[in-house]
Amino acid sequence: FSLQGPDAPEAALQQEHEGLVHFLAGDFTDAELAFRRAHDTLLRSGKHTRFDARIMRICNNMAIAQCRKGPSRF
């Protein structure tokens, strides 16, 4: 990840890209997890708020991955 540590905003970019790779491969469960890690990393960094454009983009990607994954079984 980043030379600044695993909670640096740069690490979130790597995690987001990982999510996009999984998404494009059709692995929506892993995509959602990678997007969640990116989201959490950005919030822990303290440099972004919940309504930052980057956070909102990741949340949007996470939601799309959830929709593509479909409902869980009962």
Side-chain angles (χ1 to χ4, degrees), residues 10-28:
E10 294 80 9
L13 183 62
Q14 174 70 29
Q15 294 162 337
E16 184 179 6
H17 287 172
E18 180 184 335
L20 292 171
V21 168
H22 287 297
F23 187 90
L24 292 173
D27 185 357
F28 303 117

Side-chain angles (χ1 to χ4, degrees), residues 18-64:
E18 180 184 335
L20 292 171
V21 168
H22 287 297
F23 187 90
L24 292 173
D27 185 357
F28 303 117
T29 298
D30 284 344
E32 182 184 353
L33 292 172
F35 291 139
R36 169 62 65 187
R37 284 192 304 272
H39 171 271
D40 293 347
T41 298
L42 283 177
L43 287 180
R44 277 193 313 271
S45 76
K47 296 181 180 182
H48 299 276
T49 67
R50 293 184 307 154
F51 301 108
D52 184 277
R54 196 167 165 195
I55 295 277
M56 297 304 288
R57 182 186 66 234
I58 290 170
C59 286
N60 186 49
N61 290 342
M62 221 179 342
I64 292 170

